[in-house]
Structures are given as structure tokens and as C-alpha cells.
Amino acid sequence: MKTLPSTVKAYKRTSTFTKKTVPKGLLHRHNTKVGTWGLIVVVNGSLNYTIFNDGKTRPDIRILTPGNPGVIEPQVYHKVELRTDDTQFYVEFYANEEKAVMIPGFMKSSTVTDVSTSPKSKFKPSTMFLFRSITYAAIGGFVAW
């Protein structure tokens, strides 16, 4: 099983999903953006983690359980399938600290130094993660340079 590179840092975590709350998109073939790693963490039960590799070989299916997470590599197509009705899991997202910033919504070009201590910031620290001061253009969502 692959491991996360030592150069990446967590920047986002999903809520805990169950059979009733798992987004449909996770159950079908999808991938992450350039530079975005993921870690599927099973809290209860088990799930099939299918990795589609290069499309020329058979998909690799791994069974994930509590204590046995699955690493999602950048841009590699994959999907999950809950194996039991009591399965609960979440996904953590990682990126190189100099390359990642979460930007909620659409923002004008600006320089942000520290979201948690800026008195004029309209963003809560829990919704915006910043690893160092950067200047970014008007854009929404995840930004990778």
C-alpha cells in the first residue's frame, strides 16, 4: 500500500460518511486534482477501494478497515464501495504546503498573511487553511501552483 509523502500537509477533512450520507460521486470513478493527495480513513465497517491505475491494467481493489487506510494519489482514478451497512469513513486531503490554500468562495486578488489572527478577515480559521503568506488571483476553490 502506498504512503503519503512526507512533504504533504493536511488541509481539509470531509465529514464522516455512512451508507445513507456518502456522496454518490465517491461511489463512481473520479479523481483528485494535480498535487492533491487523499487518505480514506475507515472508522467502522469496511469498504472496497478500487484504483483504476493506468486504464490498461485491471483495477486494483483493496479492502479498507479501521487502522488500514487507503492512500489516494493525485489524478489517479478511483472509487469506493461500502461493504457493510455500518461502514463509516472520511477522507483527508493533503498537498505540499507551498502549493495549497483553501479559498472559500470567490475572492478578489489579495495577500493573506494569517487568517486566524487577522482582525479584518471575514473567514473563520476552520474554513480557510493557509500554510504561508501568498498572493493569489481572483479564484474560488482549491488552488495549486
Side-chain angles (χ1 to χ4, degrees), residues 17 22-30 78-81 89 91:
F17 300 123
V22 63
K24 300 273 188 240
L26 296 183
L27 303 174
H28 301 282
R29 188 176 185 265
H30 65 282
H78 60 280
K79 71 176 184 175
V80 298
E81 176 187 4
F89 74 99
V91 182

Side-chain angles (χ1 to χ4, degrees), residues 45-83:
S46 64
L47 60 79
N48 288 338
Y49 170 41
T50 302
I51 304 165
F52 291 100
N53 300 313
D54 57 10
K56 298 175 185 172
T57 58
R58 295 181 71 176
D60 183 14
I61 301 173
R62 299 176 183 172
I63 298 173
L64 304 183
T65 57
N68 182 32
V71 173
I72 303 167
E73 294 182 77
Q75 296 183 284
V76 174
Y77 284 94
H78 60 280
K79 71 176 184 175
V80 298
E81 176 187 4
L82 284 67
R83 296 172 48 92

Side-chain angles (χ1 to χ4, degrees), residues 132-145:
R132 68 178 164 141
S133 298
I134 59 170
T135 301
Y136 50 87
I139 192 163
F142 177 78
V143 178
W145 282 271

Side-chain angles (χ1 to χ4, degrees), residues 74-102:
Q75 296 183 284
V76 174
Y77 284 94
H78 60 280
K79 71 176 184 175
V80 298
E81 176 187 4
L82 284 67
R83 296 172 48 92
T84 61
D85 289 341
D86 65 342
T87 298
Q88 296 178 342
F89 74 99
Y90 60 88
V91 182
E92 294 176 337
F93 294 97
Y94 294 77
N96 289 327
E97 61 183 79
E98 1 357 275
K99 293 187 175 184
V101 62
M102 271 303 294

Side-chain angles (χ1 to χ4, degrees), residues 4 8-14 31-39 74 91-104 125-131 141-144:
L4 291 169
V8 298
K9 304 270 187 204
Y11 71 90
K12 184 178 178 181
R13 180 193 183 278
T14 67
N31 67 349
T32 58
K33 296 179 182 183
V34 174
T36 302
W37 290 78
L39 187 67
V91 182
E92 294 176 337
F93 294 97
Y94 294 77
N96 289 327
E97 61 183 79
E98 1 357 275
K99 293 187 175 184
V101 62
M102 271 303 294
I103 305 170
S126 62
T127 59
M128 186 169 177
F129 300 85
L130 186 63
F131 295 105
F142 177 78
V143 178

